[in-house]
Amino acid sequence: PLNVFVQINTSGEPEKSGAEPGDAALELCKYIRDSCPHLHLKGIMTIGAIARSQGAKEGEENEDFVTLRRVRDEIAAALGMEQGELELSMGMSQDYEGAIRCGSDEVRVGSTVFGERPSKQDAKIKGDVEEEKG
């Protein structure tokens, strides 16, 4: 089976996707586990509000990371799973250290490794770039 993470919109930001914390997240996870034999529910993920990480004072945890951990615990309990059976994927290049402190099993640090992405209007597909050069 293909390992999948369910995205949870912990920040409530309209420009971010994901299931709402609570019943919507639980029902989606339950559906994947019970009705999708080619998928394996590996965990849940969030792209939290970076402002919450930047605004956290020393010793404080990002509210989005705390929410995702709570949602994971609720889903695991409702599905009769151990908490460790559902991984947490949270934290990106700018806030991965706080995410790890909150229990993240996986972080996404692409811009730290590869540099910042171009803006959407400047992004080009490789074939289009080659045509422009030609």
Side-chain angles (χ1 to χ4, degrees):
L2 179 66
N3 290 325
V4 296
F5 283 78
V6 169
Q7 184 166 327
I8 310 298
N9 186 345
T10 56
S11 67
E13 294 171 283
E15 63 273 5
K16 294 198 176 148
S17 298
E20 294 289 324
D23 290 341
L26 172 59
E27 291 305 314
L28 180 54
C29 290
K30 186 175 193 282
Y31 182 82
I32 291 168
R33 187 195 67 179
D34 296 344
S35 303
C36 300
H38 299 292
L39 300 179
H40 171 253
L41 180 61
K42 182 84 171 167
I44 60 174
M45 63 166 288
T46 192
I47 300 172
I50 190 62
R52 290 185 177 150
S53 285
Q54 292 170 339
K57 296 177 177 60
E58 180 94 22
E60 289 182 348
E61 297 178 329
N62 177 315
E63 176 184 332
D64 292 318
F65 301 158
V66 171
T67 298
L68 192 69
R69 190 174 56 210
R70 176 185 52 77
V71 169
R72 186 270 318 266
D73 295 349
E74 291 170 356
I75 291 170
L79 298 181
M81 303 171 74
E82 296 292 323
Q83 291 173 357
E85 291 181 77
L86 281 178
E87 292 186 8
L88 294 174
S89 177
M90 54 190 184
M92 298 175 78
S93 292
Q94 296 178 336
D95 59 2
Y96 71 91
E97 291 167 327
I100 291 169
R101 283 192 299 274
C102 284
S104 187
D105 297 293
E106 185 173 301
V107 294
R108 299 171 307 281
V109 293
S111 61
T112 296
V113 175
F114 300 110
E116 294 295 322
R117 288 186 202 185
S119 65
K120 286 185 180 181
Q121 70 254 22
D122 294 336
K124 297 185 181 192
I125 297 172
K126 184 178 179 182
D128 295 342
V129 172
E130 290 171 357
E131 286 179 18
E132 287 178 10
K133 289 181 182 177

Short mmCIF file of all heavy atoms in Angstrom, two decimals, residues 7-68:
data_model
loop_
_atom_site.label_atom_id
_atom_site.label_comp_id
_atom_site.label_asym_id
_atom_site.label_seq_id
_atom_site.Cartn_x
_atom_site.Cartn_y
_atom_site.Cartn_z
N GLN A 7 -3.83 15.78 5.60
CA GLN A 7 -3.52 17.15 5.98
C GLN A 7 -4.66 17.72 6.82
O GLN A 7 -5.83 17.62 6.45
CB GLN A 7 -3.28 18.03 4.76
CG GLN A 7 -2.87 19.45 5.15
CD GLN A 7 -2.32 20.22 3.97
OE1 GLN A 7 -1.68 19.66 3.08
NE2 GLN A 7 -2.56 21.53 3.96
N ILE A 8 -4.28 18.33 7.94
CA ILE A 8 -5.23 18.96 8.85
C ILE A 8 -4.97 20.46 8.81
O ILE A 8 -3.83 20.90 8.98
CB ILE A 8 -5.05 18.44 10.30
CG1 ILE A 8 -5.03 16.90 10.36
CG2 ILE A 8 -6.12 19.03 11.22
CD1 ILE A 8 -6.28 16.21 9.91
N ASN A 9 -6.01 21.25 8.62
CA ASN A 9 -5.86 22.70 8.60
C ASN A 9 -5.96 23.21 10.04
O ASN A 9 -7.01 23.64 10.50
CB ASN A 9 -6.92 23.36 7.72
CG ASN A 9 -6.70 24.85 7.56
OD1 ASN A 9 -5.94 25.46 8.30
ND2 ASN A 9 -7.36 25.44 6.59
N THR A 10 -4.84 23.15 10.74
CA THR A 10 -4.82 23.54 12.15
C THR A 10 -4.89 25.05 12.35
O THR A 10 -5.30 25.51 13.41
CB THR A 10 -3.53 23.03 12.83
OG1 THR A 10 -2.39 23.51 12.10
CG2 THR A 10 -3.51 21.51 12.89
N SER A 11 -4.49 25.81 11.35
CA SER A 11 -4.45 27.28 11.50
C SER A 11 -5.78 27.93 11.15
O SER A 11 -6.01 29.08 11.53
CB SER A 11 -3.35 27.87 10.61
OG SER A 11 -3.68 27.70 9.25
N GLY A 12 -6.63 27.21 10.40
CA GLY A 12 -7.89 27.81 9.97
C GLY A 12 -7.72 28.83 8.86
O GLY A 12 -8.68 29.51 8.50
N GLU A 13 -6.53 28.94 8.30
CA GLU A 13 -6.29 29.91 7.23
C GLU A 13 -7.00 29.44 5.95
O GLU A 13 -6.85 28.29 5.55
CB GLU A 13 -4.80 30.04 6.96
CG GLU A 13 -4.02 30.64 8.12
CD GLU A 13 -2.52 30.56 7.89
OE1 GLU A 13 -1.96 29.46 8.07
OE2 GLU A 13 -1.95 31.61 7.52
N PRO A 14 -7.78 30.31 5.31
CA PRO A 14 -8.54 29.89 4.13
C PRO A 14 -7.66 29.50 2.95
O PRO A 14 -8.09 28.71 2.11
CB PRO A 14 -9.40 31.12 3.80
CG PRO A 14 -8.75 32.27 4.49
CD PRO A 14 -8.03 31.71 5.67
N GLU A 15 -6.45 30.01 2.87
CA GLU A 15 -5.58 29.67 1.75
C GLU A 15 -4.88 28.32 1.91
O GLU A 15 -4.20 27.85 1.01
CB GLU A 15 -4.54 30.77 1.48
CG GLU A 15 -3.56 31.01 2.61
CD GLU A 15 -4.05 32.00 3.67
OE1 GLU A 15 -5.20 32.46 3.60
OE2 GLU A 15 -3.26 32.30 4.57
N LYS A 16 -5.07 27.69 3.06
CA LYS A 16 -4.48 26.38 3.31
C LYS A 16 -5.55 25.31 3.23
O LYS A 16 -6.69 25.51 3.62
CB LYS A 16 -3.78 26.35 4.66
CG LYS A 16 -2.59 27.30 4.68
CD LYS A 16 -1.64 27.03 5.76
CE LYS A 16 -0.45 27.96 5.62
NZ LYS A 16 0.12 28.30 6.88
N SER A 17 -5.15 24.16 2.72
CA SER A 17 -6.07 23.04 2.57
C SER A 17 -6.00 22.12 3.78
O SER A 17 -5.15 22.29 4.64
CB SER A 17 -5.72 22.24 1.31
OG SER A 17 -5.86 23.04 0.17
N GLY A 18 -6.89 21.17 3.80
CA GLY A 18 -6.85 20.16 4.85
C GLY A 18 -8.20 20.01 5.53
O GLY A 18 -9.06 20.89 5.48
N ALA A 19 -8.35 18.86 6.17
CA ALA A 19 -9.55 18.59 6.94
C ALA A 19 -9.55 19.46 8.19
O ALA A 19 -8.50 19.77 8.75
CB ALA A 19 -9.61 17.11 7.33
N GLU A 20 -10.73 19.81 8.62
CA GLU A 20 -10.86 20.55 9.88
C GLU A 20 -10.53 19.61 11.03
O GLU A 20 -10.88 18.42 10.97
CB GLU A 20 -12.30 21.06 10.04
CG GLU A 20 -12.71 22.10 9.02
CD GLU A 20 -12.03 23.42 9.24
OE1 GLU A 20 -11.81 23.82 10.40
OE2 GLU A 20 -11.69 24.07 8.22
N PRO A 21 -9.89 20.09 12.08
CA PRO A 21 -9.68 19.24 13.26
C PRO A 21 -11.04 18.78 13.80
O PRO A 21 -12.01 19.51 13.71
CB PRO A 21 -8.98 20.17 14.25
CG PRO A 21 -8.37 21.25 13.42
CD PRO A 21 -9.31 21.42 12.23
N GLY A 22 -11.09 17.58 14.33
CA GLY A 22 -12.35 17.08 14.89
C GLY A 22 -12.95 15.99 14.04
O GLY A 22 -12.24 15.15 13.48
N ASP A 23 -14.28 16.02 13.90
CA ASP A 23 -15.00 14.95 13.22
C ASP A 23 -14.56 14.76 11.77
O ASP A 23 -14.45 13.62 11.30
CB ASP A 23 -16.51 15.20 13.26
CG ASP A 23 -17.08 15.03 14.66
OD1 ASP A 23 -16.42 14.39 15.51
OD2 ASP A 23 -18.20 15.53 14.91
N ALA A 24 -14.32 15.85 11.04
CA ALA A 24 -13.94 15.74 9.63
C ALA A 24 -12.62 14.97 9.49
O ALA A 24 -12.49 14.08 8.64
CB ALA A 24 -13.81 17.12 8.98
N ALA A 25 -11.66 15.30 10.33
CA ALA A 25 -10.36 14.61 10.28
C ALA A 25 -10.52 13.14 10.65
O ALA A 25 -9.96 12.26 9.99
CB ALA A 25 -9.38 15.31 11.22
N LEU A 26 -11.26 12.88 11.70
CA LEU A 26 -11.47 11.51 12.14
C LEU A 26 -12.15 10.68 11.05
O LEU A 26 -11.73 9.56 10.75
CB LEU A 26 -12.28 11.46 13.43
CG LEU A 26 -12.72 10.07 13.89
CD1 LEU A 26 -11.52 9.17 14.14
CD2 LEU A 26 -13.59 10.18 15.14
N GLU A 27 -13.21 11.21 10.47
CA GLU A 27 -13.96 10.46 9.45
C GLU A 27 -13.10 10.17 8.23
O GLU A 27 -13.17 9.08 7.65
CB GLU A 27 -15.23 11.21 9.06
CG GLU A 27 -16.27 11.24 10.16
CD GLU A 27 -16.65 9.84 10.65
OE1 GLU A 27 -16.88 8.94 9.83
OE2 GLU A 27 -16.70 9.65 11.89
N LEU A 28 -12.27 11.13 7.82
CA LEU A 28 -11.40 10.90 6.67
C LEU A 28 -10.37 9.82 6.98
O LEU A 28 -10.14 8.91 6.18
CB LEU A 28 -10.72 12.21 6.25
CG LEU A 28 -9.77 12.11 5.05
CD1 LEU A 28 -10.45 11.50 3.82
CD2 LEU A 28 -9.21 13.49 4.73
N CYS A 29 -9.76 9.89 8.14
CA CYS A 29 -8.77 8.88 8.54
C CYS A 29 -9.41 7.50 8.64
O CYS A 29 -8.84 6.50 8.19
CB CYS A 29 -8.11 9.26 9.86
SG CYS A 29 -7.01 10.68 9.73
N LYS A 30 -10.60 7.45 9.20
CA LYS A 30 -11.32 6.18 9.33
C LYS A 30 -11.64 5.62 7.95
O LYS A 30 -11.48 4.42 7.69
CB LYS A 30 -12.59 6.39 10.14
CG LYS A 30 -13.36 5.13 10.46
CD LYS A 30 -14.53 5.46 11.38
CE LYS A 30 -15.15 4.27 11.99
NZ LYS A 30 -16.01 3.46 11.26
N TYR A 31 -12.07 6.47 7.04
CA TYR A 31 -12.39 6.03 5.69
C TYR A 31 -11.17 5.45 4.99
O TYR A 31 -11.24 4.38 4.37
CB TYR A 31 -12.98 7.19 4.87
CG TYR A 31 -13.38 6.77 3.49
CD1 TYR A 31 -14.59 6.14 3.27
CD2 TYR A 31 -12.53 6.97 2.41
CE1 TYR A 31 -14.96 5.72 2.00
CE2 TYR A 31 -12.88 6.55 1.13
CZ TYR A 31 -14.10 5.92 0.94
OH TYR A 31 -14.44 5.50 -0.32
N ILE A 32 -10.04 6.14 5.10
CA ILE A 32 -8.82 5.64 4.47
C ILE A 32 -8.44 4.29 5.06
O ILE A 32 -8.15 3.34 4.33
CB ILE A 32 -7.66 6.66 4.64
CG1 ILE A 32 -7.95 7.91 3.80
CG2 ILE A 32 -6.32 6.03 4.26
CD1 ILE A 32 -7.04 9.08 4.09
N ARG A 33 -8.47 4.19 6.36
CA ARG A 33 -8.09 2.94 7.02
C ARG A 33 -9.03 1.79 6.65
O ARG A 33 -8.58 0.69 6.34
CB ARG A 33 -8.06 3.11 8.53
CG ARG A 33 -7.50 1.86 9.24
CD ARG A 33 -7.79 1.85 10.69
NE ARG A 33 -9.24 1.70 10.90
CZ ARG A 33 -9.80 1.64 12.08
NH1 ARG A 33 -9.06 1.73 13.16
NH2 ARG A 33 -11.11 1.51 12.21
N ASP A 34 -10.33 2.05 6.63
CA ASP A 34 -11.31 0.98 6.46
C ASP A 34 -11.70 0.71 5.01
O ASP A 34 -12.15 -0.40 4.70
CB ASP A 34 -12.58 1.31 7.25
CG ASP A 34 -12.35 1.36 8.75
OD1 ASP A 34 -11.30 0.86 9.21
OD2 ASP A 34 -13.21 1.92 9.46
N SER A 35 -11.57 1.67 4.13
CA SER A 35 -12.14 1.53 2.79
C SER A 35 -11.14 1.70 1.64
O SER A 35 -11.56 1.65 0.48
CB SER A 35 -13.26 2.56 2.60
OG SER A 35 -14.24 2.40 3.60
N CYS A 36 -9.90 1.92 1.94
CA CYS A 36 -8.91 2.15 0.88
C CYS A 36 -7.78 1.12 1.02
O CYS A 36 -6.73 1.42 1.61
CB CYS A 36 -8.36 3.57 0.96
SG CYS A 36 -9.63 4.85 0.77
N PRO A 37 -7.96 -0.07 0.49
CA PRO A 37 -6.99 -1.14 0.69
C PRO A 37 -5.61 -0.87 0.09
O PRO A 37 -4.63 -1.49 0.51
CB PRO A 37 -7.64 -2.36 0.04
CG PRO A 37 -8.61 -1.79 -0.95
CD PRO A 37 -9.08 -0.50 -0.35
N HIS A 38 -5.52 0.07 -0.84
CA HIS A 38 -4.22 0.37 -1.46
C HIS A 38 -3.52 1.54 -0.80
O HIS A 38 -2.45 1.97 -1.25
CB HIS A 38 -4.39 0.62 -2.96
CG HIS A 38 -4.95 -0.58 -3.66
ND1 HIS A 38 -4.24 -1.76 -3.81
CD2 HIS A 38 -6.17 -0.80 -4.21
CE1 HIS A 38 -4.97 -2.65 -4.44
NE2 HIS A 38 -6.16 -2.10 -4.69
N LEU A 39 -4.13 2.07 0.28
CA LEU A 39 -3.53 3.17 1.04
C LEU A 39 -3.27 2.71 2.46
O LEU A 39 -4.04 1.96 3.03
CB LEU A 39 -4.45 4.39 1.05
CG LEU A 39 -4.82 5.01 -0.29
CD1 LEU A 39 -5.76 6.19 -0.09
CD2 LEU A 39 -3.60 5.42 -1.08
N HIS A 40 -2.19 3.22 3.04
CA HIS A 40 -1.88 2.98 4.44
C HIS A 40 -1.83 4.33 5.14
O HIS A 40 -1.02 5.20 4.77
CB HIS A 40 -0.53 2.26 4.59
CG HIS A 40 -0.09 2.17 6.02
ND1 HIS A 40 0.95 2.94 6.51
CD2 HIS A 40 -0.55 1.45 7.06
CE1 HIS A 40 1.11 2.67 7.80
NE2 HIS A 40 0.21 1.78 8.15
N LEU A 41 -2.70 4.53 6.12
CA LEU A 41 -2.73 5.78 6.88
C LEU A 41 -1.48 5.84 7.74
O LEU A 41 -1.40 5.22 8.79
CB LEU A 41 -4.00 5.85 7.74
CG LEU A 41 -4.14 7.11 8.59
CD1 LEU A 41 -4.19 8.36 7.72
CD2 LEU A 41 -5.38 7.01 9.47
N LYS A 42 -0.49 6.59 7.28
CA LYS A 42 0.80 6.69 7.97
C LYS A 42 0.75 7.73 9.08
O LYS A 42 1.41 7.59 10.10
CB LYS A 42 1.87 7.05 6.95
CG LYS A 42 3.26 7.16 7.46
CD LYS A 42 3.92 5.82 7.53
CE LYS A 42 5.39 6.01 7.85
NZ LYS A 42 6.00 4.76 8.22
N GLY A 43 -0.04 8.79 8.87
CA GLY A 43 -0.09 9.83 9.89
C GLY A 43 -0.90 11.02 9.43
O GLY A 43 -1.65 10.96 8.46
N ILE A 44 -0.72 12.13 10.16
CA ILE A 44 -1.39 13.38 9.82
C ILE A 44 -0.34 14.48 9.74
O ILE A 44 0.75 14.38 10.32
CB ILE A 44 -2.51 13.73 10.82
CG1 ILE A 44 -1.99 13.89 12.24
CG2 ILE A 44 -3.62 12.67 10.76
CD1 ILE A 44 -3.06 14.37 13.22
N MET A 45 -0.67 15.51 8.99
CA MET A 45 0.29 16.60 8.77
C MET A 45 -0.42 17.94 8.81
O MET A 45 -1.64 18.02 8.68
CB MET A 45 0.97 16.43 7.41
CG MET A 45 0.01 16.51 6.23
SD MET A 45 0.83 16.73 4.63
CE MET A 45 1.39 18.42 4.74
N THR A 46 0.39 18.98 9.00
CA THR A 46 -0.13 20.34 8.91
C THR A 46 0.94 21.25 8.35
O THR A 46 2.14 20.97 8.46
CB THR A 46 -0.60 20.87 10.28
OG1 THR A 46 -1.34 22.09 10.07
CG2 THR A 46 0.54 21.15 11.24
N ILE A 47 0.48 22.31 7.73
CA ILE A 47 1.35 23.43 7.39
C ILE A 47 0.83 24.57 8.25
O ILE A 47 -0.14 25.24 7.91
CB ILE A 47 1.29 23.78 5.89
CG1 ILE A 47 1.73 22.58 5.07
CG2 ILE A 47 2.15 25.01 5.59
CD1 ILE A 47 1.54 22.73 3.58
N GLY A 48 1.42 24.71 9.41
CA GLY A 48 0.94 25.70 10.37
C GLY A 48 1.23 27.12 9.94
O GLY A 48 1.98 27.37 8.99
N ALA A 49 0.65 28.05 10.64
CA ALA A 49 0.88 29.47 10.38
C ALA A 49 2.28 29.83 10.86
O ALA A 49 2.58 29.69 12.05
CB ALA A 49 -0.18 30.31 11.09
N ILE A 50 3.11 30.29 9.96
CA ILE A 50 4.49 30.63 10.33
C ILE A 50 4.51 31.75 11.37
O ILE A 50 5.38 31.79 12.23
CB ILE A 50 5.35 30.99 9.08
CG1 ILE A 50 6.83 31.09 9.46
CG2 ILE A 50 4.87 32.26 8.42
CD1 ILE A 50 7.44 29.81 9.99
N ALA A 51 3.52 32.63 11.34
CA ALA A 51 3.45 33.72 12.32
C ALA A 51 3.35 33.17 13.73
O ALA A 51 3.86 33.77 14.68
CB ALA A 51 2.28 34.64 12.02
N ARG A 52 2.70 32.02 13.90
CA ARG A 52 2.59 31.43 15.23
C ARG A 52 3.93 30.91 15.72
O ARG A 52 4.23 30.98 16.91
CB ARG A 52 1.54 30.32 15.24
CG ARG A 52 0.15 30.88 15.09
CD ARG A 52 -0.91 29.84 15.22
NE ARG A 52 -2.22 30.46 15.13
CZ ARG A 52 -3.29 29.88 14.66
NH1 ARG A 52 -3.23 28.63 14.23
NH2 ARG A 52 -4.43 30.52 14.61
N SER A 53 4.73 30.38 14.82
CA SER A 53 6.07 29.94 15.22
C SER A 53 6.95 31.14 15.53
O SER A 53 7.67 31.15 16.52
CB SER A 53 6.72 29.10 14.11
OG SER A 53 6.16 27.82 14.06
N GLN A 54 6.88 32.15 14.68
CA GLN A 54 7.71 33.33 14.88
C GLN A 54 7.29 34.10 16.12
O GLN A 54 8.11 34.74 16.78
CB GLN A 54 7.65 34.23 13.64
CG GLN A 54 8.32 33.59 12.45
CD GLN A 54 8.07 34.35 11.15
OE1 GLN A 54 7.12 35.12 11.01
NE2 GLN A 54 8.93 34.11 10.17
N GLY A 55 6.00 34.04 16.46
CA GLY A 55 5.50 34.77 17.62
C GLY A 55 5.64 34.03 18.94
O GLY A 55 5.41 34.62 20.00
N ALA A 56 6.01 32.76 18.88
CA ALA A 56 6.15 31.98 20.11
C ALA A 56 7.36 32.45 20.91
O ALA A 56 8.44 32.63 20.36
CB ALA A 56 6.27 30.49 19.79
N LYS A 57 7.15 32.67 22.17
CA LYS A 57 8.24 33.08 23.04
C LYS A 57 9.03 31.85 23.48
O LYS A 57 8.59 30.73 23.33
CB LYS A 57 7.68 33.81 24.26
CG LYS A 57 6.97 35.11 23.92
CD LYS A 57 6.38 35.75 25.17
CE LYS A 57 5.73 37.07 24.89
NZ LYS A 57 4.62 37.05 23.95
N GLU A 58 10.20 32.09 24.01
CA GLU A 58 11.06 31.01 24.50
C GLU A 58 10.26 30.08 25.42
O GLU A 58 9.59 30.53 26.34
CB GLU A 58 12.23 31.61 25.28
CG GLU A 58 13.20 30.60 25.84
CD GLU A 58 14.36 30.34 24.92
OE1 GLU A 58 14.65 31.19 24.07
OE2 GLU A 58 14.98 29.28 25.08
N GLY A 59 10.28 28.80 25.11
CA GLY A 59 9.59 27.81 25.92
C GLY A 59 8.13 27.59 25.53
O GLY A 59 7.50 26.68 26.04
N GLU A 60 7.59 28.42 24.65
CA GLU A 60 6.21 28.25 24.19
C GLU A 60 6.18 27.36 22.96
O GLU A 60 7.14 27.33 22.19
CB GLU A 60 5.57 29.60 23.83
CG GLU A 60 5.28 30.48 25.00
CD GLU A 60 4.61 31.79 24.57
OE1 GLU A 60 4.57 32.11 23.38
OE2 GLU A 60 4.14 32.48 25.47
N GLU A 61 5.09 26.64 22.78
CA GLU A 61 4.92 25.78 21.62
C GLU A 61 3.98 26.44 20.62
O GLU A 61 3.03 27.12 21.01
CB GLU A 61 4.37 24.42 22.04
CG GLU A 61 5.30 23.65 22.95
CD GLU A 61 4.72 22.32 23.40
OE1 GLU A 61 3.49 22.22 23.54
OE2 GLU A 61 5.50 21.39 23.61
N ASN A 62 4.22 26.20 19.35
CA ASN A 62 3.36 26.70 18.30
C ASN A 62 1.98 26.06 18.47
O ASN A 62 1.85 24.84 18.55
CB ASN A 62 3.97 26.33 16.94
CG ASN A 62 3.10 26.73 15.76
OD1 ASN A 62 1.90 26.52 15.75
ND2 ASN A 62 3.73 27.29 14.75
N GLU A 63 0.96 26.87 18.51
CA GLU A 63 -0.42 26.42 18.72
C GLU A 63 -0.86 25.39 17.67
O GLU A 63 -1.59 24.45 17.96
CB GLU A 63 -1.33 27.65 18.68
CG GLU A 63 -2.79 27.40 18.78
CD GLU A 63 -3.59 28.69 18.63
OE1 GLU A 63 -3.07 29.78 18.96
OE2 GLU A 63 -4.74 28.60 18.18
N ASP A 64 -0.40 25.55 16.42
CA ASP A 64 -0.76 24.60 15.37
C ASP A 64 -0.16 23.22 15.63
O ASP A 64 -0.79 22.20 15.36
CB ASP A 64 -0.32 25.11 14.00
CG ASP A 64 -1.10 26.33 13.56
OD1 ASP A 64 -2.33 26.35 13.77
OD2 ASP A 64 -0.48 27.27 13.03
N PHE A 65 1.06 23.19 16.13
CA PHE A 65 1.71 21.91 16.42
C PHE A 65 1.03 21.22 17.60
O PHE A 65 0.84 20.00 17.60
CB PHE A 65 3.19 22.10 16.71
CG PHE A 65 3.97 22.73 15.57
CD1 PHE A 65 5.16 23.37 15.81
CD2 PHE A 65 3.51 22.66 14.26
CE1 PHE A 65 5.90 23.94 14.78
CE2 PHE A 65 4.24 23.23 13.21
CZ PHE A 65 5.43 23.88 13.48
N VAL A 66 0.64 22.00 18.59
CA VAL A 66 -0.08 21.46 19.75
C VAL A 66 -1.42 20.88 19.28
O VAL A 66 -1.82 19.78 19.69
CB VAL A 66 -0.27 22.54 20.83
CG1 VAL A 66 -1.20 22.06 21.93
CG2 VAL A 66 1.08 22.97 21.40
N THR A 67 -2.10 21.60 18.41
CA THR A 67 -3.39 21.14 17.88
C THR A 67 -3.23 19.84 17.11
O THR A 67 -4.01 18.90 17.29
CB THR A 67 -4.04 22.22 16.99
OG1 THR A 67 -4.30 23.37 17.79
CG2 THR A 67 -5.33 21.73 16.35
N LEU A 68 -2.21 19.75 16.25
CA LEU A 68 -2.03 18.53 15.47
C LEU A 68 -1.74 17.34 16.37
O LEU A 68 -2.27 16.25 16.16
CB LEU A 68 -0.90 18.69 14.44
CG LEU A 68 -0.85 17.56 13.41
CD1 LEU A 68 -2.05 17.62 12.48
CD2 LEU A 68 0.44 17.58 12.64
#
